[in-house]
Amino acid sequence: MNKIYPDAHAALAGLLRDGITIMSGGFGLCGIPELLIAAIRDSGVRGLTVISNNAGIDAAGLGLLLETRQIRKMVSSYVGENKLFADLYLSGALELEFNPQGTLAERIRAGGAGIPAFFTKTGVGTLIAEGKEVREFDGENYVMEKGLVADLSVIHAWKADREGNLVYRKTARNFNPVMATAGRITVAEVEHLVEPGALDPDHIHTPGIFVQRIVRAATFEKPIEQRTVRKRGN
Amino acid sequence: MNKIYPDAHAALAGLLRDGITIMSGGFGLCGIPELLIAAIRDSGVRGLTVISNNAGIDAAGLGLLLETRQIRKMVSSYVGENKLFADLYLSGALELEFNPQGTLAERIRAGGAGIPAFFTKTGVGTLIAEGKEVREFDGENYVMEKGLVADLSVIHAWKADREGNLVYRKTARNFNPVMATAGRITVAEVEHLVEPGALDPDHIHTPGIFVQRIVRAATFEKPIEQRTVRKRGN
Amino acid sequence: MAWSRDDMARRAAAELQDGFYVNLGIGIPTLVSNFIPPGITVQLQSENGMLGMGPFPFEGEEDPDLINAGKQTITELPTTSYFDSAQSFGMIRGGHIDVSILGAMQVAQNGDLANWMIPGRMVKGMGGAMDLVAGVKRVVVLMEHTARNEPKLLRECTLPLTGKGVVDMVITDLGVFEIDRAGMTLTELAPDVSLDEIRQKTEASFIVRVE
Amino acid sequence: MAWSRDDMARRAAAELQDGFYVNLGIGIPTLVSNFIPPGITVQLQSENGMLGMGPFPFEGEEDPDLINAGKQTITELPTTSYFDSAQSFGMIRGGHIDVSILGAMQVAQNGDLANWMIPGRMVKGMGGAMDLVAGVKRVVVLMEHTARNEPKLLRECTLPLTGKGVVDMVITDLGVFEIDRAGMTLTELAPDVSLDEIRQKTEASFIVRVE
């Protein structure tokens, strides 16, 4: 069964419908599926719910889909770097659900692992716990959070083989592996496509079972959000 | 802070008390902490609760601690290969709690991740769900299972550096990584101790934060439970 | 003439489709890997932490670190990946495996399955069976039609359950049954097996829709 | 003379012990890594998926795939490991991190912390802050004692909480407070800062046990 698609548009063909829920990997602009996001923009699909830790910046990442008003609702933990986001939100054009970052990651992992709900200490006694069940275990209070799944997950990886086994690079891993497990269909944009057997099976981060389609991001300059350096000779 | 200990006895010094709960890694005899189990036997500690997918075989793995009657209770998913186990259990000398294998793995992962309870479909409508909360989510029933932690986890890994970063080999990984996260103290028996920086940080399975003590298993012939082969020229 | 174990395994293998991820239980189900139809590729999952399971090793090439869920020595393939037990069962319980083919002591007409314990005898444990039947998309049971001439396809299971309403298909030495909400349907007979013989050896009620 | 930001960071660094795993928040807490006491080694965790965080890269050596939770380019060390967000917060929420040092808008005398939103203003989100304060063994707040001359150490927080009863220590430019079940205790004064000045700039009630 072929999982390799020639370009991002082909890799998304038949998967996009108005109103679907999409998980999009990455932390800030690190490890985001840039080409797939651009292809979603070009498709013109609307009314999306997007689950992503951040919302990109103006003119990059999910910022592309904010510009075109294709996103109806964001489920995120931090959306600070995007001016357009603020404008849309304050004008009521965009719905927003905040999740603590760990709760978001765990909800996605739970969704992928068939766990409809779990308890966590995070958020007890805060706005986050409002309307949710709070229960005591061993004398401490925990809030019940629900698993998350998506119609489609779009993720970014460093290397893939034809089976869909994925390897990520450094902190570009972040939300990508858990989102791969929680998408009904997962499409991976990868920097390198390698021959079967080229990945050491002990080093694979995402087994191919979680990846239905793969597209190579042939040329793509990775953005840096905050360039911080030290002087040589320090 | 030094995490390297000269031998298994030294690595367990001060950690063993009668009646504690110990998690022990491995699946069958694959990836078990053989030297640490032998050192626990030699310590003479008694009344142990041991959480392990299997209970070893006669005279190997946890079978060593069954012979000496040091285990009061096993929490396992499958204990079929051990005749002594059956005798002890049927005579009432050993308590036994069965968990579905996936429930056991998830309970351990939950314990290590600060999750006191979660819901799963596994076991609904069976003996396993008796006495547990069953709840409906989206029209399906799920049973609530609780996180597991241990006073001590003993695990086996292939390679470690001095920071305690671990890499496992093939199916010897199994329960070891989740147990590393769920022990108040985790002691890892490793086949190879490598220099700092020798492990690619993208390939590390268990970050050093989960490992408090390390001992090298200098010489140790790994057992095979079921030697199955095919003829050449097939 | 009833099906042999190989025939049963071959029939089960016909349920596989290209690209499927498959978990095979111990016993007859293991044989299914010998009959994968030509032109399709499936990946076998081993719940102790491996996807892309290969055949038994050549003599002298056994690796103690490479075993399947039956604790047998096996080999890896170019597609293989390894993972820990929590991720393995995340795969199973999260509905990512397409088919689980496993043995049974009893199957009820509503899809209840019993295959892990007989009260009063030493209980070895359920291993991953409860997770597999609860989580995998489609559950196919491969078993002898009777045990010591007693039917195994029942109105209700008398043994403790492995899962409730989980079986989608049963392949025995006598024929093939499908189970859905409406109940059990006989859809195929083994060669020269009569409907009468099946009726006689089956306690469960079923409708017949043999093509 | 009140403490400078560097003084505050140095004081916070004195809370670290050899072998500690530490998460540093954005702002003043970032400076703490410049003052690790000699002879001890700590590992810095970055909640986007890294343990063993190194300093900023030399110019020209920035790697877009290697950033910290503040999205700044950083470097790796020989001890570094990478992992996904679920494992990262498993570490945090499972109580494996020894100390979290972070900033605050308000701290109440019972340890309540507010540092993520001001109603009516654009809300950026809590990121990992709620997880850190709920899960890390010890929470140290590093903040200016007042904001626009208004006290930040309060009887009760007026802003929405990040966590309830979670703060163990507060280090401000004026002194150090410890918080436990009994309440808040002033344990150190910055040089030449008077108790009167602290009393005047603090709404929370506290007892004094300065050595």
Side-chain angles (χ1 to χ4, degrees):
Chain A
M1 186 139 106
N2 177 45
K3 295 184 175 182
I4 313 290
Y5 287 72
D7 58 48
H9 293 81
L12 292 172
L15 304 181
L16 299 172
R17 297 182 314 282
D18 288 353
I20 63 172
T21 296
I22 299 179
M23 287 184 186
S24 181
F27 179 92
L29 298 181
C30 182
I32 60 171
E34 188 75 37
L35 298 185
L36 290 167
I37 292 170
I40 291 170
R41 178 199 55 196
D42 296 346
S43 79
V45 67
R46 303 187 66 81
L48 301 174
T49 295
V50 177
I51 300 169
S52 172
N53 188 59
N54 313 96
I57 60 174
D58 293 320
L62 293 171
L64 299 181
L65 304 183
L66 292 170
E67 275 177 6
T68 52
R69 312 291 190 271
Q70 287 169 276
I71 300 179
R72 183 184 69 76
K73 179 180 176 181
M74 287 291 312
V75 180
S76 300
S77 90
Y78 191 83
V79 297
E81 331 299 350
N82 194 316
K83 165 118 180 38
L84 175 61
F85 189 103
D87 295 344
L88 290 173
Y89 175 64
L90 294 174
S91 73
L94 183 66
E95 214 179 309
L96 175 58
E97 177 192 316
F98 276 128
N99 281 241
Q101 194 176 152
T103 294
L104 184 62
E106 190 66 26
R107 290 182 70 192
I108 296 166
R109 185 210 172 261
I115 294 171
F118 61 90
F119 290 90
T120 177
K121 256 192 289 190
T122 298
V124 170
T126 75
L127 288 176
I128 286 301
E130 280 182 13
K132 294 176 186 162
E133 175 176 333
V134 173
R135 191 190 290 208
E136 195 179 305
F137 294 94
D138 288 329
E140 273 210 81
N141 280 328
Y142 296 82
V143 58
M144 191 174 87
E145 295 281 359
K146 297 203 173 159
L148 280 174
V149 292
D151 299 299
L152 170 66
S153 284
V154 289
I155 63 169
H156 179 99
W158 186 37
K159 291 181 181 174
D161 64 17
R162 295 178 166 272
E163 160 63 13
N165 292 312
L166 303 182
V167 172
Y168 307 93
R169 187 169 175 275
K170 303 186 190 285
T171 56
R173 195 183 314 182
N174 56 64
F175 281 83
N176 288 298
V178 283
M179 287 183 172
T181 71
R184 279 187 205 95
I185 300 281
T186 292
V187 183
E189 162 182 326
V190 306
E191 296 173 47
H192 302 280
L193 200 52
V194 303
E195 287 308 302
L199 301 177
D200 183 327
D202 278 327
H203 297 165
I204 288 165
H205 297 131
T206 292
I209 190 171
F210 297 118
V211 180
Q212 283 69 48
R213 300 185 183 191
I214 304 160
V215 61
R216 195 159 78 84
T219 56
F220 163 50
E221 201 187 328
K222 295 183 203 171
I224 290 180
E225 218 164 318
Q226 308 256 3
R227 190 176 303 270
T228 44
V229 297
R230 72 191 138 131
K231 289 264 177 284
R232 275 171 207 279
N234 259 13
Chain B
M1 186 140 106
N2 177 44
K3 294 184 176 183
I4 313 289
Y5 287 72
D7 57 48
H9 293 81
L12 292 172
L15 303 181
L16 298 173
R17 296 182 314 283
D18 288 353
I20 62 172
T21 296
I22 299 179
M23 288 183 184
S24 182
F27 179 91
L29 298 182
C30 182
I32 59 170
E34 187 75 36
L35 299 185
L36 290 168
I37 291 170
I40 291 170
R41 179 198 54 196
D42 296 346
S43 79
V45 68
R46 303 187 67 81
L48 301 173
T49 296
V50 177
I51 301 169
S52 172
N53 188 58
N54 313 96
I57 60 172
D58 295 318
L62 293 172
L64 299 181
L65 303 183
L66 292 170
E67 275 177 6
T68 52
R69 313 290 190 272
Q70 287 169 275
I71 300 178
R72 183 183 70 75
K73 180 180 177 182
M74 288 290 313
V75 179
S76 300
S77 90
Y78 191 82
V79 296
E81 331 299 350
N82 193 316
K83 164 119 181 38
L84 176 61
F85 189 103
D87 295 345
L88 290 173
Y89 175 63
L90 293 174
S91 74
L94 183 66
E95 216 179 307
L96 175 58
E97 178 192 316
F98 277 128
N99 281 241
Q101 193 175 154
T103 294
L104 183 62
E106 189 67 25
R107 290 183 69 193
I108 297 166
R109 185 211 172 259
I115 294 171
F118 60 90
F119 290 89
T120 176
K121 254 192 290 190
T122 298
V124 170
T126 76
L127 288 177
I128 286 301
E130 280 183 13
K132 294 176 186 163
E133 175 175 334
V134 172
R135 192 191 288 209
E136 194 178 307
F137 294 93
D138 288 330
E140 272 211 83
N141 281 328
Y142 296 82
V143 57
M144 191 175 85
E145 297 280 1
K146 296 202 173 162
L148 280 174
V149 292
D151 299 298
L152 171 66
S153 284
V154 289
I155 63 169
H156 179 99
W158 186 38
K159 292 182 182 174
D161 64 18
R162 294 176 168 274
E163 160 64 12
N165 292 312
L166 303 182
V167 171
Y168 307 92
R169 186 168 176 274
K170 304 187 189 283
T171 57
R173 192 183 316 182
N174 57 64
F175 280 83
N176 288 297
V178 283
M179 288 184 173
T181 71
R184 280 188 203 94
I185 300 283
T186 293
V187 183
E189 163 183 327
V190 306
E191 297 173 47
H192 303 281
L193 200 53
V194 303
E195 288 308 302
L199 301 177
D200 183 325
D202 278 328
H203 297 164
I204 289 165
H205 298 130
T206 292
I209 190 172
F210 296 118
V211 180
Q212 283 70 48
R213 300 185 183 190
I214 304 160
V215 60
R216 194 160 78 85
T219 56
F220 163 52
E221 201 186 325
K222 294 184 205 170
I224 289 180
E225 217 165 320
Q226 308 256 5
R227 190 176 302 271
T228 45
V229 297
R230 70 191 140 133
K231 290 263 177 287
R232 278 172 205 280
N234 258 13
Chain C
M1 194 185 65
W3 279 326
S4 67
R5 289 158 53 102
D6 274 356
D7 292 335
M8 290 163 66
R10 188 180 288 109
R11 178 59 191 81
E15 295 298 309
L16 305 181
Q17 296 174 27
D18 191 33
F20 264 23
Y21 293 90
V22 181
N23 185 292
L24 300 179
I26 298 171
I28 313 182
T30 307
L31 301 174
V32 173
S33 61
N34 299 330
F35 300 101
I36 310 294
I40 79 166
T41 305
V42 302
Q43 299 294 327
L44 300 181
Q45 202 248 16
S46 188
E47 66 261 31
N48 54 318
M50 180 185 196
L51 199 58
M53 185 165 51
F56 293 149
F58 292 121
E59 214 167 326
E61 296 182 0
E62 308 90 329
D63 184 338
D65 289 340
L66 184 40
I67 65 171
N68 65 16
K71 283 127 191 168
Q72 300 170 310
T73 46
I74 47 162
T75 55
E76 65 187 30
L77 300 170
T79 52
T80 297
S81 57
Y82 298 108
F83 32 84
D84 68 42
S85 299
Q87 169 126 54
S88 182
F89 282 92
M91 229 171 245
I92 290 167
R93 292 148 63 118
H96 302 278
I97 308 273
D98 295 290
V99 184
S100 169
I101 302 178
L102 72 180
M105 297 169 181
Q106 299 179 336
V107 177
Q109 63 198 38
N110 66 350
D112 288 359
L113 170 71
N115 74 349
W116 79 282
M117 79 174 283
I118 301 176
R121 287 214 221 151
M122 176 57 199
V123 176
K124 294 185 170 189
M126 71 291 285
M130 283 191 182
D131 307 291
L132 284 159
V133 300
V136 171
K137 286 181 200 154
R138 186 168 158 77
V139 173
V140 176
V141 166
L142 261 190
M143 66 176 193
E144 302 292 332
H145 202 89
T146 57
R148 292 183 216 84
N149 287 321
E150 292 298 312
K152 297 174 71 175
L153 280 167
L154 306 175
R155 286 177 198 285
E156 282 185 20
C157 293
T158 57
L159 295 172
L161 296 186
T162 307
K164 234 188 135 34
V166 294
V167 177
D168 298 294
M169 175 178 268
V170 182
I171 299 170
T172 76
D173 48 327
L174 303 185
V176 179
F177 297 82
E178 287 177 19
I179 301 178
D180 58 21
R181 272 180 218 175
M184 206 162 85
T185 306
L186 174 67
T187 57
E188 288 175 51
L189 292 168
D192 301 321
V193 170
S194 72
L195 194 51
D196 271 355
E197 181 183 352
I198 292 226
R199 285 229 158 87
Q200 199 183 337
K201 293 180 171 172
T202 306
E203 182 200 291
S205 31
F206 57 90
I207 63 169
V208 180
R209 202 174 56 227
V210 178
E211 280 164 24
Chain D
M1 191 186 69
W3 278 326
S4 68
R5 289 158 54 103
D6 274 356
D7 293 333
M8 291 163 65
R10 190 179 288 109
R11 178 60 191 82
E15 295 298 309
L16 305 180
Q17 296 174 27
D18 191 34
F20 264 22
Y21 293 91
V22 181
N23 186 292
L24 301 178
I26 298 171
I28 312 183
T30 307
L31 300 176
V32 173
S33 62
N34 299 332
F35 299 102
I36 311 295
I40 79 166
T41 305
V42 303
Q43 300 293 328
L44 301 180
Q45 202 248 16
S46 188
E47 66 261 31
N48 54 319
M50 179 185 199
L51 199 58
M53 186 165 51
F56 293 148
F58 292 120
E59 214 167 327
E61 296 181 0
E62 308 91 329
D63 183 339
D65 288 341
L66 182 41
I67 65 171
N68 64 17
K71 283 127 192 166
Q72 299 170 311
T73 46
I74 47 162
T75 55
E76 66 187 27
L77 300 171
T79 52
T80 298
S81 57
Y82 299 107
F83 31 83
D84 67 43
S85 300
Q87 169 126 53
S88 182
F89 282 93
M91 229 172 248
I92 289 167
R93 293 148 62 119
H96 302 279
I97 308 273
D98 296 288
V99 184
S100 169
I101 301 178
L102 72 181
M105 297 169 180
Q106 299 178 336
V107 177
Q109 62 198 36
N110 66 351
D112 288 0
L113 169 72
N115 74 349
W116 79 282
M117 79 173 283
I118 301 175
R121 287 215 222 149
M122 175 56 197
V123 177
K124 294 184 169 189
M126 72 291 285
M130 284 191 181
D131 307 291
L132 284 159
V133 300
V136 171
K137 287 181 199 153
R138 186 169 158 77
V139 173
V140 175
V141 166
L142 261 190
M143 66 177 194
E144 303 292 332
H145 202 90
T146 56
R148 291 182 217 85
N149 287 321
E150 291 298 314
K152 297 173 73 175
L153 280 166
L154 305 175
R155 287 177 198 285
E156 282 184 22
C157 293
T158 58
L159 295 172
L161 296 186
T162 307
K164 238 190 130 35
V166 294
V167 177
D168 297 294
M169 176 179 266
V170 182
I171 299 170
T172 77
D173 48 327
L174 303 186
V176 179
F177 297 81
E178 287 178 19
I179 301 178
D180 57 20
R181 272 180 218 173
M184 204 163 86
T185 306
L186 174 67
T187 58
E188 287 176 50
L189 291 169
D192 302 321
V193 170
S194 71
L195 194 52
D196 270 358
E197 180 182 353
I198 292 225
R199 284 230 160 86
Q200 200 184 335
K201 293 181 172 171
T202 307
E203 182 199 292
S205 31
F206 57 89
I207 63 169
V208 180
R209 200 175 58 229
V210 177
E211 284 166 21

